[in-house]
Amino acid sequence: MSEQTLQAIVKAMVADGKGLLAADESNGNIKKKFDKLGIEDSAENHRRYREMLFTTPGMEKYISGVILFDETIHQSTSDGVSFAQYLDSKGVVPGIKVDIGLMDFEGHPGEQVTKWDETLNDRLKKYYELGARFAKWRAVINIGAGIPSDECIAANCKNLVKYAQLCQANGIVPIVEPEVLSDGDHTIERCYEVTKKTLIELFAQLKKANVDLSGLILKPNMVIYSLEGEKVSAQEVAEKTLQCFSEVVPTEVGGIVFLSGGQSEPESCVTLNAISKLVKEQKTPWKLTFSYGRALQNSALKNWIGKDENKFSSQEIFLHRAKLASAASFGEYTPEME
Ligand code: 5MM
């Protein structure tokens, strides 16, 4: 796996019509998914599932990079090729989730902060040797009565910035993911307000720390209705999302890749499509695409259920989702394509 500048890696990750597959579910998360479907939770089944996804023929037409979990970057295909090497050979950039999860934010009930990890620098060096060329760190901001607090936003941004500095020092592109959760019944206006506040704090801290924004990717939530709140049109989601970003995201940022945040598979294409259409009209300074976990995998996993005989049909389902997300990133998705 070659040495490249941060900007060259970013360019490959946000290439036209391509986006990222977030396959970085931690062991606790994948266990929950497997348990629901009656799939035995074991390292070997995690490996078989990820192998099914990554060896999908043609995936590389739509997927530019894959976010791996620590266990996964140490695993290999059935032929003994490490997943990182395998993806690289297909022209797909291997990446790694490096945060170690959330903890309660002391003194602030209902709020969480991503745990800091003193071994992060050493781990980044090892991940680079294993082939990772980008990393991901997720912070979670909850919306509720009286939250988020300024302190919670600041503490989460502080860790995101320290992480981004260490990544760049190790030749790894940092994806910074400050996810404003859509749980609850808040309005889209509240999502806009909290997302904007979070991004203002994040970019103020990144600039102060001299992080090279052209060698960094932002992974935000869309400015969207909440899971239990009143839904608004995709057009409104697109308008509010781009309004928010144009107000607070510096033009130098290498790229923006959206998380799906609990949207259904088709819904995540409808909203991305509306955003992409507006991007064309407004000629935004950054490239925007997808970095979906659930919205690329849900149907494929439900079909696979751990059985080899379902491998090819699951790959077809996954490829179809990737193709539609790609179409949405061009603003060329229609529901008839489902
Ligand atoms: C794949 O899910 C990731 C979180 O996993 P853990 O909770 O197990 O750490 C998550 O960070 C994901 O990469 C992003 O949130 C995007 O995923 P969605 O499903 O929202 O597109």
Side-chain angles (χ1 to χ4, degrees):
M1 273 155 279
S2 61
E3 241 180 67
Q4 283 178 304
T5 62
L6 297 175
Q7 289 70 21
I9 301 166
V10 167
K11 199 172 163 204
M13 290 168 69
V14 294
D16 284 346
K18 295 187 185 184
L20 306 179
L21 165 66
D24 59 316
E25 296 85 357
S26 52
N27 281 346
N29 185 353
I30 198 99
K31 176 178 172 13
K32 272 191 223 147
K33 289 177 196 262
F34 277 16
D35 283 353
K36 261 194 204 156
L37 295 167
I39 306 167
E40 188 203 336
D41 181 56
S42 63
E44 174 55 11
N45 277 346
H46 302 164
R47 192 201 66 75
R48 289 175 58 242
Y49 174 58
R50 267 67 182 249
E51 176 170 46
M52 180 279 286
L53 292 173
F54 305 162
T55 59
T56 297
M59 160 189 111
E60 60 278 13
K61 263 177 82 180
Y62 313 113
I63 301 292
S64 56
V66 176
I67 314 174
L68 304 168
F69 180 58
D70 178 74
E71 177 187 80
T72 324
I73 202 168
H74 291 97
Q75 290 180 325
S76 304
T77 64
S78 306
D79 299 336
V81 182
S82 81
F83 280 139
Q85 227 175 347
Y86 176 79
L87 290 167
D88 181 64
S89 73
K90 278 180 118 172
V92 175
V93 188
I96 180 81
K97 182 240 287 297
V98 298
D99 67 79
I100 52 167
L102 310 174
M103 59 183 218
D104 288 342
F105 186 43
E106 220 186 306
H108 293 263
E111 298 195 282
Q112 292 167 305
V113 65
T114 311
K115 290 177 202 158
W116 183 248
D117 169 25
E118 290 302 338
T119 68
L120 181 58
N121 196 39
D122 296 339
R123 287 203 291 131
L124 286 168
K125 288 185 195 314
K126 285 187 195 133
Y127 289 140
Y128 187 93
E129 278 166 25
L130 290 169
R133 291 296 177 266
F134 70 92
K136 193 201 81 174
W137 179 285
R138 174 171 175 254
V140 165
I141 306 293
N142 284 300
I143 297 184
I147 62 169
S149 63
D150 292 351
E151 293 78 11
C152 179
I153 292 176
N156 272 303
C157 291
K158 189 175 164 199
N159 287 349
L160 276 167
V161 171
K162 281 200 283 178
Y163 142 84
Q165 283 180 307
L166 290 179
C167 283
Q168 292 192 337
N170 284 290
I172 290 180
V173 168
I175 295 186
V176 294
E177 182 180 1
E179 177 175 3
V180 175
L181 288 184
S182 54
D183 298 48
D185 63 358
H186 55 267
T187 60
I188 187 170
E189 284 78 16
R190 181 85 177 115
C191 178
Y192 169 86
E193 202 181 292
V194 174
T195 303
K196 183 171 170 178
K197 194 172 187 182
T198 305
L199 293 178
I200 287 175
E201 177 67 22
L202 176 65
F203 285 107
Q205 289 200 29
L206 283 167
K207 279 202 166 163
K208 210 167 160 194
N210 278 324
V211 172
D212 177 359
L213 298 182
S214 68
L216 165 146
I217 289 184
L218 173 68
K219 178 163 174 170
N221 50 285
M222 295 174 187
V223 174
I224 197 165
Y225 41 83
S226 57
L227 293 176
E228 292 154 39
E230 196 192 325
K231 280 204 175 180
V232 300
S233 67
Q235 182 62 24
E236 190 171 344
V237 171
E239 284 166 8
K240 288 215 162 44
T241 301
L242 291 187
Q243 186 193 334
C244 177
F245 292 177
S246 65
E247 287 165 351
V248 297
V249 179
T251 53
E252 313 90 274
V253 166
I256 298 179
V257 298
F258 290 105
L259 57 94
S260 59
Q263 296 180 68
S264 71
E265 289 157 309
E267 198 181 7
S268 72
C269 289
V270 172
T271 47
L272 178 61
N273 196 60
I275 292 172
S276 306
K277 278 186 164 170
L278 207 55
V279 162
K280 281 188 190 161
E281 278 172 43
Q282 298 186 352
K283 299 200 174 59
T284 58
W286 344 265
K287 301 222 26 199
L288 297 98
T289 185
F290 59 91
S291 172
Y292 291 165
R294 290 164 285 181
L296 284 174
Q297 295 185 55
N298 279 352
S299 298
L301 174 60
K302 261 189 213 150
N303 182 75
W304 180 66
I305 55 167
K307 299 195 171 155
D308 283 339
E309 62 264 36
N310 296 338
K311 180 176 169 180
F312 296 121
S313 55
S314 305
Q315 290 184 326
E316 268 174 29
I317 293 170
F318 168 55
L319 189 68
H320 185 61
R321 291 286 16 130
K323 189 177 175 181
L324 297 196
S326 163
S329 76
F330 281 124
E332 289 170 2
Y333 164 89
T334 60
E336 292 69 42
M337 294 162 85
E338 288 290 336

